Amino acid sequence: MKKLFIFLLLGASACNVLNPNITDDVYVDNAGAASSWVNGVSRQLALTMNQVVVSSELVSDNYYNNRTQSSKVFDIPQIDYYDTDVNNMQTQIAILRTMAEYGLSKVLPGDVTSTASDSAEMYYSLGYAHILSGELFVGLPGSEKGRVLTPAEHLNLAIASLNSAITLADAGSTAQMAYTLLKARAFYSLGNADSAVAIAKSAMSIPTLLQQVKYDGTNSVTNDMQTYVFSSTYNEFAPSPRLDFLDPKYYHTGLASADQKPVTIVKAEEAWLIVAEAAIAGNDLSTARTTLKDLLSSVIANRPTVSLNDNKETRNGGNRTDYPLTAELVKFDAADNTRSGYILNRQAGNITAYTVSGTKVIATDLDAATTQDELLYLLYRMRQEIFMAEGRRMTDLGIKFPVSQTEQLNNTNVSDADIVAQIPSFIPRARGMDDFTNDTASGIVTMKYDMNKVLVENKTSPYIFPFIN
């Protein structure tokens, strides 16, 4: 008999179990198996997002590792196929995909108590695993020891799964609309502007739309990003100074174990951003400007914020000792004007924490943008700030992870090309994306690179701006 790897949820607790006494014929075909499997997949989604968010945020220009925890080289960025973190991310995504497939093929059909919503949840998880595979990797197998699928193949598989999730979900439900917007994201990544925009526009009917993965610190399913940016004594991860005002998105009050913040997977903001980017690509700047201004007033302005005591945040990790801790001015690069309000003095009183979305881009900035490049620059600034600490920025930079060495050693389908990371030539090396100078005499922090400007300067690159290329 085949042994079954399952997540047993006993009451509120959850633990990984590989039990030789639990086999297919014992677990499958039993009432209640479906609900426990759905819970197990939800837990795996949380574990997957831990690996995705932590690793991809470090690779990007959002955060750098200011201590010794987590990857020591992703900040460079150096991404080796033999890196343990590369393998861990691939493994977590593969487990999520496999659990969703097994739930659909074995567990749910064998449980008379399973519901259409259970099946929708499985298809959503399967679709999201394929989206992560397509967005984050140069390619990944779609099955155990299978052929390495291209990003486009994974994204098309995601769309097929999400179509099933949409059909099975309760009509008009938040879940159905979340699956719909996630489908728009897949079409966006494929560069299919017509389909992405048409689907995104339907999601605009719910400006509060939010789909998140939840964590449970009491039962050891903690939000790793929260640990790195807030809960840890040593402030392991430090944000780029120009993004300081958005940190932390995740925090705790009271005991950390009892207050683990969720990570967002789908939110309404993406619909407006997709529609605006397509308009910019088509040089319809008026529509793009109006769409982005509506995003600011109708969506972001209504997202919750909290007043947070963050006076323990001293950026004392140790890799850099010159991080600005007072309310200094910032320049996005040496040619930029000074800007205020980006770097906070956390000792002066409570700060405002943006729990879902925040941005410093305002309507007058959009009105002043009169060219395609100027609007494209502001849109990607907004994307960076809105998706802060959600694992999205690395993809916008055109960077992808390679297939891992573990997969290569066990799968003859992996080619030499599959084990090379995609890092576009315009990406600064030697930790340049995170670098800055802090002139304490003038009170000005200057970033070495404005990466959104770099992106616009390289907008014809095949690795970025999917609607333009």
Side-chain angles (χ1 to χ4, degrees):
M1 292 181 223
K2 181 180 177 182
K3 296 178 183 178
L4 183 63
F5 176 72
I6 67 170
F7 289 95
L8 288 180
L9 279 86
L10 307 175
S13 65
C15 58
N16 291 346
V17 176
L18 180 56
N19 189 333
N21 298 312
I22 299 177
T23 55
D24 283 0
D25 58 347
V26 172
Y27 182 74
V28 178
D29 299 332
N30 281 282
S35 62
S36 69
W37 197 265
V38 169
N39 287 337
V41 172
S42 296
R43 181 183 188 276
Q44 179 57 38
L45 179 58
L47 297 176
T48 302
M49 289 306 293
N50 270 343
Q51 193 69 44
V52 165
V53 171
V54 168
S55 294
S56 61
E57 289 293 306
L58 279 187
V59 169
S60 80
D61 58 333
N62 284 354
Y63 282 92
Y64 65 92
N65 187 351
N66 199 35
R67 193 171 173 244
T68 57
Q69 299 296 311
S70 193
S71 173
K72 316 301 186 298
V73 298
F74 281 175
D75 281 326
I76 294 175
Q78 176 183 326
I79 308 175
D80 301 305
Y81 78 111
Y82 51 80
D83 192 304
T84 300
D85 288 309
V86 171
N87 184 66
N88 288 343
M89 185 184 302
Q90 180 179 333
T91 298
Q92 293 298 336
I93 293 172
I95 293 173
L96 179 64
R97 185 198 73 239
T98 302
M99 288 186 68
E101 290 172 338
Y102 192 85
L104 288 166
S105 65
K106 295 290 186 180
V107 181
L108 271 60
D111 183 354
V112 295
T113 67
S114 69
T115 66
S117 292
D118 292 335
S119 295
E121 186 75 12
M122 290 296 101
Y123 278 114
Y124 154 66
S125 299
L126 178 58
Y128 190 56
H130 282 298
I131 283 179
L132 293 175
S133 300
E135 288 184 347
L136 298 175
F137 284 82
V138 299
L140 279 183
S143 60
E144 184 179 0
K145 299 182 181 180
R147 180 174 66 86
V148 176
L149 305 182
T150 65
E153 288 176 308
H154 277 292
L155 291 168
N156 281 311
L157 287 170
I159 290 166
S161 292
L162 291 167
N163 281 336
S164 297
I166 292 164
T167 300
L168 289 163
D170 292 338
S173 65
T174 298
Q176 186 183 58
M177 193 55 68
Y179 306 155
T180 300
L181 185 50
L182 194 59
K183 179 181 168 183
R185 172 175 161 184
F187 275 118
Y188 170 82
S189 295
L190 284 167
N192 187 331
D194 290 342
S195 295
V197 168
I199 297 168
K201 284 183 175 179
S202 69
M204 287 179 165
S205 61
I206 307 179
T208 57
L209 182 64
L210 190 64
Q211 178 96 341
Q212 298 179 305
V213 57
K214 294 180 172 57
Y215 291 84
D216 181 2
T218 303
N219 294 296
S220 302
V221 187
T222 56
N223 179 342
D224 287 351
M225 196 65 181
Q226 179 173 321
T227 299
Y228 286 132
V229 303
F230 188 85
S231 302
S232 172
T233 302
Y234 294 99
N235 309 151
E236 275 88 355
F237 291 1
S240 165
R242 66 183 177 83
L243 299 170
D244 182 77
F245 73 99
L246 291 169
D247 181 78
K249 178 169 281 185
Y250 315 117
Y251 60 90
H252 70 266
T253 56
L255 294 175
S257 61
D259 187 14
Q260 292 292 300
K261 296 299 188 291
V263 171
T264 297
I265 291 177
V266 181
K267 58 186 176 185
E269 287 85 339
E270 185 142 29
W272 274 259
L273 290 167
I274 287 172
V275 172
E277 187 165 348
I280 293 172
N283 216 30
D284 184 356
L285 305 187
S286 177
T287 295
R289 191 178 296 109
T290 299
T291 301
L292 292 174
K293 289 167 72 173
D294 187 46
L295 169 59
L296 293 175
S297 61
S298 299
V299 184
I300 296 176
N302 296 318
R303 289 302 193 187
T305 61
V306 298
S307 179
L308 178 66
N309 181 349
D310 195 28
N311 61 17
K312 293 182 179 179
E313 180 63 84
T314 56
R315 312 296 183 198
N316 63 345
N319 287 347
R320 288 198 71 147
T321 59
D322 60 343
Y323 194 95
L325 299 177
T326 59
E328 294 189 52
L329 301 173
V330 67
K331 297 171 68 174
F332 287 3
D333 64 14
D336 192 27
N337 297 320
T338 56
R339 304 170 188 253
S340 63
Y342 288 80
I343 302 172
L344 308 182
N345 183 349
R346 294 160 196 269
Q347 307 304 314
N350 283 12
I351 65 165
T352 297
Y354 299 88
T355 60
V356 176
S357 294
T359 181
K360 286 289 187 189
V361 175
I362 59 176
T364 54
D365 296 326
L366 296 166
D367 287 333
T370 59
T371 68
Q372 183 189 59
D373 283 0
E374 288 170 346
L375 267 180
L376 195 59
Y377 171 83
L378 289 176
L379 182 139
Y380 270 75
R381 255 195 66 193
M382 292 177 71
R383 282 184 64 89
Q384 182 175 25
E385 294 171 5
I386 288 167
F387 294 132
M388 176 75 166
E390 294 175 9
R392 303 292 301 278
R393 177 65 172 179
M394 190 189 85
T395 301
D396 283 354
L397 292 170
I399 301 173
K400 290 182 183 291
F401 291 103
V403 175
S404 75
Q405 183 181 49
T406 301
E407 183 73 39
Q408 182 209 33
L409 294 174
N410 291 279
N411 185 348
T412 58
N413 291 296
V414 178
S415 70
D416 289 344
D418 296 326
I419 60 173
V420 179
Q422 176 179 295
I423 305 178
S425 60
F426 57 78
I427 296 294
R429 305 306 173 96
R431 295 183 169 84
M433 285 195 294
D434 299 321
D435 204 6
F436 60 86
T437 58
N438 183 4
D439 186 340
T440 56
S442 64
I444 299 175
V445 173
T446 303
M447 302 302 304
K448 188 170 184 179
Y449 295 98
D450 181 344
M451 285 308 301
N452 293 308
K453 182 188 292 187
V454 172
L455 290 177
V456 173
E457 289 170 348
N458 292 274
K459 66 181 181 182
T460 59
S461 167
Y463 305 122
I464 55 175
F465 297 160
F467 291 165
I468 289 180
N469 300 294

